[in-house]
């Protein structure tokens, strides 16, 4: 199949190039609109959880006090109750209230609610609900110029503003990361290939992969809610994999041309059948690892998983279908303007047993047990900080501290009473209308139980709006609203049909253990017959998210590891090698997570990276980093094991196979890992701590995998295991030989020739100097 694709692309190379360019231009134009179609990542939730279901009902059925925008007005000299402050604030609010984009405004001046005043008295907040007609971001953009005052200092936050600022920061960070990455990658590719033409090809394929990935991402936004966080993941996976895959193909193509520079078609077909097959297997490996993200119920993880899988496939297809077109057109001109000979002295061809990586592997295998013990101990030591890891959910604090949303959130948490997320909402679903006498009586009993819990400062519901009224009075008022219109109006705020809500206030921060205790106690309360309570709010949402992640992670790991295990077995025919690969990857990732805790939770590099530690990691980052880094690490594992397996099948000598395999792949894997580290590591320069965590986390995982694992642990452990590396029950061995995924390549290094067996083609070629 791959041979046929190579032949077709060579034959119709000019037409194929025009089609590829047309698709790329169309994808770039269509994909450029993806930034406006994404959502921010300040919230993440399990849609099946109690808190999520309750929040949906609050937003759709009981949304009289939903808040989209929070306006913080302050003055260093004036108090919020001073006439000058009041007049300036009222002017702004009057202007906003007249706009059709605004449904409601809640301020101290309209409600006399002192919780809207800061503790020092110099600031006040205004809670704004935007119209649901059209896009809320557009509605805010229309009124944003009106939120200004020559007298007061004004900062604007809230969910709508935070999402907009998150998207804008993502775009800015992406452009900055690319401006850093491209020059470094260009220099590295020039050094690796020694030719500007060959060095340009991986960057070209990377650009095509990103353009097409953005168009796929925009298509996905029509079906699911896609986080703007996916842009960064798409960018570094698309660019990184495209460059890696192009590196493999271009390197192999240049080697194949050494057979006969005039036989471009033959070189391309052989390249497609060998390196192309490895790339397909790599794409499957990365995609399989990312499939685990689809098992999580959180839409954010699912959307990033889908985006990353699509990006990996796009990068694979770009390398397999577009890059061969350029190689077919260039032919031997792929080495044009080569300057390698200016810096490298031509030396006699060396055997695979004479290289640096070969000698290094034998030195490692000579001390296999000490190397294994010391390296494993080092990885465990690096991972030890993860033992005291703590997690949190993302909010506006992930934004740069100078952003208005982060400023507003900081003030709400530290300078305003009852605005630190300590509110707990309970949505009650009843049988029949919520304001019937029977349901009000049951509600009164339930509210008394809520009020009896320690740590609760206030409870607001249909039956305790006014402490002077009795239950009978409430039943009469709601039955005959004209008797007390003011109290009866509360029913429109706290009830809708068979739904009502209870607002519980505490003095605890929403992340505290006391707040979590209250949520657990509320959910454990006995409820009257016909009542279905849904406890929601920031604390409940965080607890439900953590519970959802804990429940989903074992299944995700099982799917990921099982799939990788099967793929590696089909390639190697061994049950031991896949097990070893999984264990080594887990060790490497443990060290990565330990480093993340040391850096971001403990804040040791806060000044260097320019972030403010919140004392925890975002709860979704370990999941994302594990899935992405696991797949990328297995990518290099596949390439190394394919060479080791090839040599072992030829000689049956385990030590020689390991040394020869490392010699043939060491330089290429190291180059690919360095390139990918630069691409991914550039995102550590982001102003968003979420992007910093995943960029630095994946970069560290790649570095540890390419050094401690591939150079030290793999040869050491494979030497210790000996021929047990290749063990599998005979029935499974027969199955692997029947359906296995391996390249049929034999090499005679002593004679300087390689015999490449591809389908029904057998050709001889001189072995290129490695």
């Amino acid at each position: 199949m791959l041979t046929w694709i190579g032949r077709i692309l060579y034959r119709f190379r000019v037409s194929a190039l025009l089609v590829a360019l047309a698709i790329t231009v169309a994808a770039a134009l269509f994909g450029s609109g993806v930034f406006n179609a994404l959502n921010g990542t300040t919230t993440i939730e399990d849609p099946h959880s109690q808190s999520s279901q309750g929040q949906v009902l609050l937003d759709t059925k009981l949304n009289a006090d939903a808040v989209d925008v929070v306006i913080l007005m302050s003055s260093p000299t004036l108090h919020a109750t001073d006439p000058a402050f009041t007049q300036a604030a009222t002017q702004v609010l009057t202007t906003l209230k007249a706009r059709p984009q605004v449904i409601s405004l809640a301020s101290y001046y309209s409600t006399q609610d002192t919780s809207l005043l800061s503790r020092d008295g110099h600031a006040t907040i205004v809670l704004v609900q935007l119209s649901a007609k059209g896009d809320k971001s557009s509605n805010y953009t229309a009124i944003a110029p009106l939120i200004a005052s020559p007298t007061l200092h004004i900062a604007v936050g809230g969910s709508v503003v935070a999402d907009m600022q998150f998207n804008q920061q993502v775009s800015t960070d992406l452009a900055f990361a690319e401006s850093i990455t491209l020059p470094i990658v260009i220099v590295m590719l020039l050094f690796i290939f020694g030719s500007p033409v060959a060095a340009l090809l991986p960057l070209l394929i990377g650009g095509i992969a990103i353009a097409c990935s953005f168009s796929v991402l925009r298509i996905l936004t029509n079906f699911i809610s896609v986080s703007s966080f996916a842009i960064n993941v798409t960018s570094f996976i698309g660019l990184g994999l495209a460059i890696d895959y192009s590196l493999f193909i271009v390197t192999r193509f240049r080697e194949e041309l050494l057979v006969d520079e005039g036989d471009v078609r033959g070189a391309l077909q052989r390249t497609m059948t060998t390196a192309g097959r490895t790339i397909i297997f790599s794409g499957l490996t990365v995609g399989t690892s990312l499939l685990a993200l689809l098992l999580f119920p959180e839409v954010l993880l699912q959307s990033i998983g889908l985006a990353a899988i699509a990006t990996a496939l796009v990068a694979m297809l770009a390398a397999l279908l577009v890059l061969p077109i350029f190689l077919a057109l260039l032919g031997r001109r792929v080495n044009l303007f080569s300057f390698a000979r200016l810096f490298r002295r031509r030396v006699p061809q060396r055997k695979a047993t004479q290289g640096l990586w070969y000698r290094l592997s034998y030195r490692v295998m000579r001390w296999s047990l000490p190397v294994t013990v010391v390296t494993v101990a080092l990885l465990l030591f690096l991972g030890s900080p993860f033992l005291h890891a703590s997690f949190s959910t993302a909010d506006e604090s992930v934004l740069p501290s100078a952003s208005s949303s982060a400023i507003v959130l900081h003030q709400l948490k530290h300078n305003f009473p009852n605005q630190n997320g300590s509110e707990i909402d309970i949505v009650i679903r009843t049988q029949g209308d919520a304001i019937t006498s029977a349901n009000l009586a049951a509600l009164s009993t339930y509210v008394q139980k809520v009020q009896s819990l320690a740590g609760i400062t206030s409870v607001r519901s249909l039956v305790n709006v006014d402490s002077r009224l009795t239950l009978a009075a409430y039943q009469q008022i709601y039955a005959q609203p004209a008797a007390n219109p003011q109290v009866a109006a509360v029913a429109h705020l706290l009830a809708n049909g068979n739904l009502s809500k209870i607002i519980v206030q505490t003095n605890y921060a929403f992340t505290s253990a006391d707040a979590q205790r209250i949520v657990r106690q509320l959910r454990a309360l006995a409820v009257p017959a016909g009542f279905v309570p849904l406890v929601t709010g920031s604390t409940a949402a965080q607890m439900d998210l953590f519970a959802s992640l804990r429940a989903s992670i074992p299944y995700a790991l099982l799917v990921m590891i099982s799939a990788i295990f099967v793929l590696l077995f089909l390639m190697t025919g061994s049950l031991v090698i896949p097990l070893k690969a999984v264990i080594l990857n887990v060790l490497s990732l443990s060290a990565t997570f330990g480093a993340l805790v040391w850096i971001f939770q403990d804040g040791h590099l806060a000044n260097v990276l320019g972030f403010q530690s919140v004392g925890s990691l975002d709860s979704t980052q370990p999941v994302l980093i594990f899935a992405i880094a696991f797949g990328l690490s297995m990518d290099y594992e596949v390439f190394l094991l394919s060479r080791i397996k090839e040599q072992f099948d030829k000689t049956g000598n385990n030590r020689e196979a390991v040394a020869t395999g490392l010699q043939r792949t060491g330089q290429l894997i190291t180059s690919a890992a360095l390139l990918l580290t630069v691409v991914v590591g550039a995102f550590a320069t982001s102003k968003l701590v979420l992007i910093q965590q995943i960029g630095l986390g994946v970069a560290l995982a790649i570095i540890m995998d390419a050094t401690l694992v591939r150079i030290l642990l793999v040869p050491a452990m494979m030497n210790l295991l000996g021929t047990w590396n290749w063990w599998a029950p005979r029935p499974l061995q027969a199955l692997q030989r029947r359906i296995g995924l391996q390249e049929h390549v034999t090499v005679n290094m002593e004679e300087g020739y390689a015999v490449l067996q591809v389908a029904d083609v057998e050709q001889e070629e001189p072995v290129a100097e490695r």
Side-chain angles (χ1 to χ4, degrees), residues 43-101:
T43 57
I44 175 174
E45 57 190 16
D46 177 359
H48 307 297
S49 66
Q50 183 179 144
S51 60
S52 179
Q53 293 175 0
Q55 190 61 50
V56 169
L57 292 176
L58 286 175
D59 294 339
T60 58
K61 303 295 184 180
L62 299 165
N63 63 343
D65 58 350
V67 177
D68 298 311
V69 177
V70 179
I71 303 174
L72 174 67
M73 300 179 177
S74 62
S75 170
T77 57
L78 298 174
H79 286 82
T81 53
D82 290 345
F85 193 118
T86 302
Q87 182 180 4
T90 303
Q91 289 177 349
V92 175
L93 300 182
T94 301
T95 303
L96 291 177
K97 192 177 298 183
R99 299 289 301 197
Q101 293 87 359

Side-chain angles (χ1 to χ4, degrees), residues 74 104 173 182 248 313 521 612 627 655 669:
S74 62
S104 66
D173 290 345
L182 292 179
F248 295 152
L313 294 178
Q521 290 175 338
Q612 183 175 357
R655 287 168 60 89
I669 290 178

Side-chain angles (χ1 to χ4, degrees), residues 302-380:
Q302 291 180 352
S303 67
I304 292 178
L306 285 173
I309 291 170
T311 301
L313 294 178
V314 166
M316 180 185 73
L317 292 175
L320 290 176
L321 300 180
V322 181
L323 180 57
I325 299 173
F326 290 106
L327 295 177
L329 290 169
L330 289 171
R332 60 188 178 89
R333 290 185 295 275
V334 72
N335 296 316
L336 198 63
F337 307 121
S338 174
F339 52 82
R341 61 175 60 92
L342 299 177
F343 303 99
R344 298 175 186 172
R345 180 172 55 88
R346 188 173 184 85
V347 297
Q349 192 173 24
R350 294 178 302 179
K351 299 178 182 180
T353 58
Q354 296 176 340
L356 170 65
W357 298 100
Y358 183 91
R359 295 193 298 271
L360 177 62
S361 64
Y362 259 102
R363 288 175 183 172
V364 170
M365 288 188 288
R366 181 181 179 184
W367 304 97
S368 295
L369 186 58
V371 168
T372 301
V373 172
V374 172
T375 307
V376 170
L378 176 60
L379 289 173
L380 293 175

Side-chain angles (χ1 to χ4, degrees), residues 234-302:
T234 295
S235 298
F236 73 67
I237 288 182
L239 182 61
L241 286 180
I243 289 176
D244 273 6
Y245 293 163
S246 300
L247 180 64
F248 295 152
I249 287 185
V250 173
T251 299
R252 187 58 183 253
F253 179 72
R254 296 174 79 191
E255 291 179 359
E256 296 294 343
L257 280 179
L258 295 176
V259 179
D260 182 1
E261 289 189 350
D263 184 18
V264 176
R265 185 181 70 175
L268 184 63
Q269 289 180 237
R270 294 190 297 272
T271 298
M272 290 291 290
T273 308
T274 53
R277 183 176 301 184
T278 301
I279 287 171
I280 288 178
F281 192 87
S282 170
L284 291 175
T285 302
V286 176
T288 299
S289 296
L290 294 168
L291 276 175
L293 294 177
L294 304 185
L295 298 180
F296 291 87
E298 289 75 19
V299 175
L300 181 140
L301 293 177
Q302 291 180 352

Side-chain angles (χ1 to χ4, degrees), residues 340-622:
R341 61 175 60 92
L342 299 177
F343 303 99
R344 298 175 186 172
R345 180 172 55 88
R346 188 173 184 85
V347 297
Q349 192 173 24
R350 294 178 302 179
K351 299 178 182 180
T353 58
Q354 296 176 340
L356 170 65
W357 298 100
Y358 183 91
R359 295 193 298 271
L360 177 62
S361 64
Y362 259 102
R363 288 175 183 172
V364 170
M365 288 188 288
R366 181 181 179 184
W367 304 97
S368 295
L369 186 58
V371 168
T372 301
V373 172
V374 172
T375 307
V376 170
L378 176 60
L379 289 173
L380 293 175
F381 171 75
L382 294 175
S384 60
F386 195 64
L387 296 175
H388 69 267
S390 62
F391 302 98
S392 61
T393 52
D395 56 19
E396 289 88 337
S397 63
V398 303
L399 291 166
S401 58
S403 66
S404 63
S405 292
I407 292 172
V408 170
L409 179 65
H410 179 80
Q411 287 295 317
L412 289 177
K413 287 183 175 180
H414 298 91
N415 204 20
F416 284 83
N418 300 327
Q419 298 294 339
N420 63 348
S422 59
E423 178 181 301
I424 301 172
D425 297 320
I426 306 174
V427 178
I428 304 292
R429 182 184 288 113
T430 60
Q431 293 180 353
D433 201 310
I435 58 175
T436 62
S437 296
N439 283 331
L440 288 173
L443 179 63
S444 178
T445 302
Y446 181 75
V447 167
Q448 290 175 10
K449 294 179 181 179
V450 172
Q451 290 174 320
S452 66
L453 297 179
I456 292 179
T457 57
S458 68
V459 178
R460 186 167 181 248
S461 70
L462 289 171
V463 293
N464 63 345
V465 176
D466 189 335
S467 60
R468 297 170 298 179
L469 299 177
T470 63
L471 172 62
Y474 283 117
Q475 291 171 327
Q476 181 179 1
I477 291 171
Y478 293 136
Q480 300 176 353
N484 192 330
Q486 291 182 334
V487 175
V490 174
H492 297 290
L493 301 176
L494 298 177
N496 183 3
N498 68 332
L499 299 174
S500 67
K501 70 177 178 179
I502 302 172
I503 303 173
V504 179
Q505 293 288 350
T506 75
N507 285 329
Y508 306 124
F510 82 94
T511 57
S512 66
D514 287 320
Q516 296 177 27
R517 170 184 56 79
I518 291 176
V519 169
R520 285 191 290 267
Q521 290 175 338
L522 288 172
R523 288 178 170 175
L525 286 177
V527 297
F531 268 43
V532 179
L534 299 173
V535 180
T536 185
S538 300
T539 304
Q542 179 170 275
M543 293 172 63
D544 288 345
L545 173 62
F546 292 171
S548 174
L549 293 176
R550 286 194 298 268
S552 301
I553 284 175
Y555 297 103
L557 289 176
L558 179 62
V559 169
M560 181 190 304
I561 293 174
S562 298
I564 294 296
F565 198 95
V566 171
L567 287 173
L568 288 181
F569 165 74
L570 291 177
M571 187 187 77
T572 64
S574 166
L575 293 182
V576 177
I577 283 181
L579 179 61
K580 175 189 64 67
V582 170
I583 293 174
L584 293 185
N585 266 13
V586 170
L587 279 173
S588 175
L589 288 171
S590 298
T592 299
F593 292 151
L596 287 177
V597 170
W598 188 81
I599 294 170
F600 290 100
Q601 179 177 310
D602 300 339
H604 286 97
L605 297 183
N607 293 331
V608 176
L609 297 176
F611 68 90
Q612 183 175 357
S613 175
V614 296
S616 61
L617 296 179
D618 180 75
S619 57
T620 60
Q621 295 308 292

Side-chain angles (χ1 to χ4, degrees), residues 647-666:
Q647 187 67 18
F648 181 78
D649 288 343
K650 177 184 175 237
T651 65
N653 188 324
N654 182 72
R655 287 168 60 89
E656 185 68 15
V658 172
T660 304
L662 192 61
Q663 170 61 29
R664 293 178 180 175
T665 61

